[in-house]
């Protein structure tokens, strides 16, 4: 079993799609191991996406991610990281494969409904960013 980190982005929460996306993920075999609702600060969003800080879309991305509440979740499944990336679909919602979360609920390359860790190493770091010691112990 592996655990990965997803974030239902502000567009998903504002549109009332959070419950449907969580149900979609559960139907894909993911078990919820951590879940919270929070409104990211500028500093939190900048830190979370720091890998993109030199990219031209960074300031827009931070503005988007702090526009309203988000729902970070810890998701457990075999091959969780790779499977979530498959279920999410391509970054650009317009290019996302039929039936993927971004195809169903995303609206652009930026407002693409959902985040997913891109490697097992980053999943560990991103889970630690949002979930504390008690949550990690609960998932062992
Ligand atoms: P995420 O990290 O959110 O799971 P991803 O791994 O598919 O998405 P990244 O390249 O890591 O894509 O980009 C992070 C986020 O930045 C994207 O999900 C999207 O919201 C935004 N983004 C990426 N590329 C662009 C772009 N060219 N223009 C505007 N926003 C972008
Ligand atoms: Mg990414």
């Amino acid at each position: 079993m592996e655990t990965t980190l997803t974030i239902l982005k502000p567009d998903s929460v504002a549109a009332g799609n959070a419950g449907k996306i969580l149900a979609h993920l559960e139907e894909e075999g993911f078990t919820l191991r951590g879940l919270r609702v929070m409104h990211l600060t500028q500093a939190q969003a900048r830190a979370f996406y720091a890998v993109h800080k030199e990219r031209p879309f960074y300031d827009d991305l931070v503005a988007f991610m702090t526009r309203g509440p988000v729902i970070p979740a810890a998701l457990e499944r075999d091959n969780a990281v790779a499977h979530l990336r498959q279920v999410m679909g391509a970054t650009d919602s317009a290019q996302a494969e039929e039936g993927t979360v971004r195809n169903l609920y995303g609206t652009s390359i930026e407002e693409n409904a959902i985040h997913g860790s891109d490697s097992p190493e980053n999943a560990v770091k991103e889970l630690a960013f949002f979930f504390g010691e008690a949550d990690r112990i609960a998932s062992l």
Side-chain angles (χ1 to χ4, degrees):
M1 285 294 182
E2 187 175 70
T3 307
T4 192
L5 187 277
T6 191
I7 307 173
L8 309 190
K9 295 185 179 182
D11 55 334
S12 295
V13 179
N17 291 329
K20 283 179 278 192
I21 295 172
L22 289 174
H24 185 118
L25 297 172
E26 288 187 320
E27 279 158 23
E28 283 290 339
F30 291 100
T31 300
L32 280 168
R33 291 300 191 186
L35 188 68
R36 59 189 297 197
V37 182
M38 60 191 296
H39 196 143
L40 293 176
T41 64
Q42 293 276 320
Q44 287 171 329
R46 295 184 81 82
F48 185 78
Y49 278 120
V51 66
H52 295 311
K53 66 178 188 291
E54 307 303 336
R55 309 283 284 276
F57 59 80
Y58 181 62
D59 287 347
D60 275 355
L61 175 60
V62 170
F64 165 53
M65 290 300 292
T66 57
R67 191 173 76 192
V70 297
I71 301 182
L75 299 174
E76 185 185 66
R77 217 202 89 119
D78 65 285
N79 203 26
V81 171
H83 194 74
L84 178 62
R85 296 294 302 191
Q86 206 177 307
V87 167
M88 283 163 48
T91 304
D92 184 354
S93 301
Q95 308 292 325
E97 302 72 5
E98 192 85 11
T100 58
V101 173
R102 284 167 165 172
N103 167 257
L104 292 168
Y105 302 107
T107 52
S108 69
I109 191 167
E110 179 178 76
E111 301 204 12
N112 57 10
I114 191 170
H115 164 82
S117 304
D118 61 10
S119 68
E121 298 71 32
N122 284 336
V124 169
K125 289 183 200 159
E126 293 180 359
L127 287 162
F129 187 92
F130 286 111
F131 295 102
E133 183 74 4
D135 302 274
R136 287 198 295 281
I137 289 167
S139 75
L140 289 176

